Amino acid sequence: MTKMGHLAASSSCPVSDALSIIRQTQVQLHALTDASATANVLTTRIELCDVLLGEISGIRSSLAKDLRRTREPQLALI
C-alpha cells in the first residue's frame, strides 16, 4: 500500500510523479471498494485519501510556483 512516508518524489518532474502516485493510489483505493468495512479497511482508505490529498496539494503548489515564475519577467517589464 502507498503511504506518504514511502513515497520519494523525483525532482525531475514533480507533477508527473504526483500524477503517477495518484493513479497508483486510485487503483489501490478502488480495490478496497468491494471489501467489507472493517477497521483496517477504513484505516487504509483514509490513508489512501491522505495520499491523494497530499499529491493534489503538491501539484497545486508546483503549478502556482510555475505560474509565479512565468509572470515575474512580465511584471519587471511594466
Side-chain angles (χ1 to χ4, degrees), residues 1-8:
M1 179 186 73
T2 305
K3 289 189 180 182
M4 291 296 275
H6 297 147
L7 302 173

Side-chain angles (χ1 to χ4, degrees), residues 28-47:
Q28 293 175 359
L29 194 55
H30 286 289
L32 291 172
T33 302
D34 294 332
S36 59
T38 65
N40 287 338
V41 169
L42 292 175
T43 300
T44 301
R45 286 181 186 169
I46 291 169
E47 290 171 349

Side-chain angles (χ1 to χ4, degrees), residues 7 10-11 17 21-22 37-39 44 48 61 67-68 75 78:
L7 302 173
S10 153
S11 61
D17 292 342
I21 291 167
I22 288 170
T38 65
T44 301
L48 290 170
S61 297
L67 183 60
R68 281 192 302 272
L75 292 176
I78 296 176

Side-chain angles (χ1 to χ4, degrees), residues 9 13-24 54-56 58-59:
C13 188
V15 173
S16 178
D17 292 342
L19 290 172
S20 176
I21 291 167
I22 288 170
R23 282 186 211 100
Q24 294 170 13
E55 293 305 318
I56 291 167
I59 290 171

